[in-house]
């Protein structure tokens, strides 16, 4: 824990750590939702969707890493028990029990929209108060916006294909 690095944070550091820990839980759950989704997904355009889900899983894990490093810099401890992820998460977890591509895409689009809202709030909260956290949550927000767009583009292609196929 760097003392000067923490002094320059112009907000309640404990409260900030608690909020970052909630986002940390979201990232792990999002990671797993993408990871398992990429394994079980079925239907047309499966290959393209698997590639996207796999890439997003890696991004979510990287986000968890970025947030955990910041929590530790702030003198906090990232949540250590997976059983607490559900308890603290903002966006929860949607099991891909219906593995049809369209359902999996819909679940993940919903998750990204929740993530965008979560990071929008975090960007607003830290703006002008904690430039280091601000920079991290802004980078993550940019990724989540890209994720939503990627998934919606897949969904558009899928809808065209299903229409042609007469479904
Ligand atoms: Mg992508
Ligand atoms: Fe993320
Ligand atoms: Fe995402």
């Amino acid at each position: 824990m760097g003392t000067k690095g923490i002094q320059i944070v112009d907000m309640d550091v404990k409260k900030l750590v608690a909020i970052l820990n909630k986002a940390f839980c979201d990232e792990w759950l999002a990671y797993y939702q993408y990871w398992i989704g990429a394994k079980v997904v079925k239907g047309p355009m499966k290959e393209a969707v698997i590639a996207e889900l796999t890439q997003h899983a890696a991004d979510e894990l990287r986000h968890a890493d970025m947030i955990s490093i910041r929590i530790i810099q702030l003198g906090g401890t990232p949540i250590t028990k997976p059983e607490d992820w559900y308890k603290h998460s903002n966006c929860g977890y949607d099991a891909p029990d219906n593995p049809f591509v369209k359902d999996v895409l819909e679940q993940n689009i919903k998750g990204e929209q929740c993530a965008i809202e979560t990071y929008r709030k975090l960007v607003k909260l830290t703006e002008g108060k904690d430039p280091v956290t601000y920079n991290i949550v802004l980078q993550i927000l940019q990724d989540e916006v890209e994720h939503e767009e990627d998934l919606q583009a897949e969904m558009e292609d899928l809808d065209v294909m299903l229409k042609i196929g007469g479904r």
Side-chain angles (χ1 to χ4, degrees):
M1 144 163 67
T3 47
K4 183 68 179 169
I6 291 181
Q7 265 173 29
I8 63 162
V9 176
D10 187 20
M11 56 194 300
D12 184 335
V13 172
K14 272 210 165 119
K15 220 176 118 190
L16 177 60
V17 165
I19 292 168
L20 289 174
N21 250 325
K22 288 168 73 64
F24 176 74
C25 295
D26 287 331
E27 295 296 352
W28 272 105
L29 292 171
Y31 162 71
Y32 190 69
Q33 189 175 315
Y34 276 122
W35 185 89
I36 194 69
K39 304 292 177 209
V40 301
V41 70
K42 284 193 174 83
M45 285 183 43
K46 198 177 90 162
E47 295 311 317
V49 171
I50 288 173
E52 202 66 68
L53 300 182
T54 302
Q55 188 205 11
H56 289 192
D59 288 341
E60 309 306 2
L61 191 56
R62 186 169 48 78
H63 296 162
D65 191 72
M66 291 162 75
I67 294 172
S68 69
I69 289 168
R70 186 59 186 149
I71 288 171
I72 290 166
Q73 281 177 349
L74 290 168
T77 307
I79 288 192
T80 54
K81 297 181 192 67
E83 68 201 60
D84 290 337
W85 291 345
Y86 264 105
K87 230 187 295 171
H88 296 285
S89 159
N90 300 292
C91 299
Y93 175 80
D94 254 344
D97 288 332
N98 184 351
F100 184 56
V101 258
K102 200 171 162 75
D103 297 289
V104 172
L105 284 173
E106 262 165 18
Q107 285 179 325
N108 287 315
I109 289 167
K110 208 179 99 209
E112 290 300 341
Q113 289 173 342
C114 181
I116 289 169
E117 190 51 32
T118 297
Y119 286 104
R120 184 194 67 82
K121 285 183 186 152
L122 267 165
V123 163
K124 241 182 125 185
L125 183 78
T126 54
E127 188 174 15
K129 307 256 182 204
D130 177 359
V132 177
T133 303
Y134 174 80
N135 182 48
I136 292 167
V137 295
L138 184 59
Q139 284 180 54
I140 298 178
L141 177 62
Q142 287 170 337
D143 287 344
E144 310 302 14
V145 165
E146 192 182 309
H147 287 172
E148 182 204 29
E149 206 275 328
D150 287 345
L151 298 177
Q152 286 181 334
E154 292 287 343
M155 187 69 109
E156 263 180 43
D157 291 354
L158 181 67
D159 282 340
V160 169
M161 184 173 252
L162 291 176
K163 222 176 254 174
I164 292 167
R167 273 187 78 138

